[in-house]
Amino acid sequence: SAVISQKPSRDICQRGTSLTIQCQVDSQVTMMFWYRQQPGQSLTLIATANQGSEATYESGFVIDKFPISRPNLTFSTLTVSNMSPEDSSIYLCSVAEQGRDQPQHFGDGTRLSIL
Amino acid sequence: DAKTTQPNSMESNEEEPVHLPCNHSTISGTDYIHWYRQLPSQGPEYVIHGLTSNVNNRMASLAIAEDRKSSTLILHRATLRDAAVYYCILNSLGLDKLVFGAGTILRVKS
């Protein structure tokens, strides 16, 4: 299965600042996703990162707050903009081949705390 | 999105089998049933998936009811390392995305 690396693994940021999280995969993949996991909660899908085009955002998430890039088939970034304490979460990247019978593989996430 | 229902938590003894149930009464004929687990401080890990027939792999077995309205993840011999949150998720036609519910917290006692 694909090996996914996320950077940074954790960070503490000041409110009002922005942070860019990187997701690197060791092989080309069709689908890349970004999730958020708030403390003690399950995972919520933020968006699907599309290569060469704008990401597809889920309800409640907007591009201005969570801009996403995907320049190629092995790399994506998620930026958390103008952060507030409510953005303190774990942000996870996952990858899969296209198809509902394809498993997703996850990175270990970025633990973000906003002061 | 088709919904799944799982018990909030379950407890098992080490080295005994564990049966984790999942109800999905609104499943459609083309929905795949996926199971993932999340160990503490890690991202979710794929466990197994199936469509209609029972499935086995090195990690677990998946038993799917004949009417497909429920399924059971079977860990044949639980170990302390199996303590995790287990998620049962339906992957629907045309979506290629996973919608996570609350999952089942599995505790394993030594």
Side-chain angles (χ1 to χ4, degrees):
Chain A
S1 62
V3 176
I4 300 145
S5 301
Q6 276 188 242
K7 291 182 181 179
S9 59
R10 60 177 67 235
D11 208 340
I12 300 172
C13 300
Q14 297 295 320
R15 67 176 67 202
T17 64
S18 299
L19 178 74
T20 296
I21 302 167
Q22 299 180 0
C23 177
Q24 179 75 53
V25 190
D26 68 344
S27 59
Q28 293 187 346
V29 291
T30 307
M31 312 291 290
M32 294 183 80
F33 305 92
W34 286 98
Y35 290 83
R36 180 176 73 183
Q37 188 169 29
Q38 295 177 301
Q41 303 295 313
S42 184
L43 284 78
T44 301
L45 181 63
I46 297 172
T48 303
N50 302 310
Q51 191 215 351
S53 65
E54 194 171 287
T56 303
Y57 289 85
E58 297 298 308
S59 176
F61 298 95
V62 295
I63 187 172
D64 289 347
K65 177 67 176 178
F66 298 101
I68 289 170
S69 78
R70 189 177 174 193
N72 56 51
L73 293 176
T74 64
F75 186 78
S76 178
T77 66
L78 168 75
T79 299
V80 186
S81 303
N82 188 24
M83 291 183 285
S84 66
E86 292 72 36
D87 294 320
S88 296
S89 294
I90 301 172
Y91 292 87
L92 298 112
C93 168
S94 75
V95 303
E97 291 305 322
Q98 195 161 22
R100 66 196 185 282
D101 62 336
Q102 297 298 311
Q104 281 193 23
H105 302 285
F106 288 79
D108 282 337
T110 296
R111 295 175 180 274
L112 185 56
S113 298
I114 315 304
L115 302 179
Chain B
D1 298 329
K3 297 279 190 263
T4 63
T5 304
Q6 299 177 253
N8 290 333
S9 64
M10 292 183 64
E11 199 167 77
S12 171
N13 294 317
E14 199 174 9
E15 299 191 6
E16 291 186 357
V18 181
H19 291 233
L20 296 161
C22 180
N23 287 321
H24 28 78
S25 58
T26 60
I27 191 171
S28 76
T30 56
D31 289 346
Y32 274 79
I33 303 161
H34 285 242
W35 283 83
Y36 290 78
R37 71 179 186 182
Q38 188 173 22
L39 281 65
S41 300
Q42 294 187 24
E45 174 187 30
Y46 166 77
V47 177
I48 200 166
H49 76 275
L51 182 62
T52 57
S53 303
N54 295 343
V55 185
N56 301 298
N57 66 20
R58 64 175 179 80
M59 290 182 67
S61 295
L62 175 60
I64 301 173
E66 195 169 332
D67 64 4
R68 301 187 74 239
K69 292 180 186 280
S70 66
S71 61
T72 302
L73 180 71
I74 302 166
L75 307 179
H76 295 287
R77 283 179 72 244
T79 70
L80 296 177
R81 288 179 299 221
D82 291 322
V85 181
Y86 286 78
Y87 298 98
C88 169
I89 304 169
L90 301 183
N91 197 334
S92 301
L93 181 64
L95 293 182
D96 289 332
K97 65 180 182 181
L98 301 177
V99 178
F100 283 77
T104 296
I105 300 170
L106 176 65
R107 298 182 178 91
V108 181
K109 298 183 298 182
S110 59

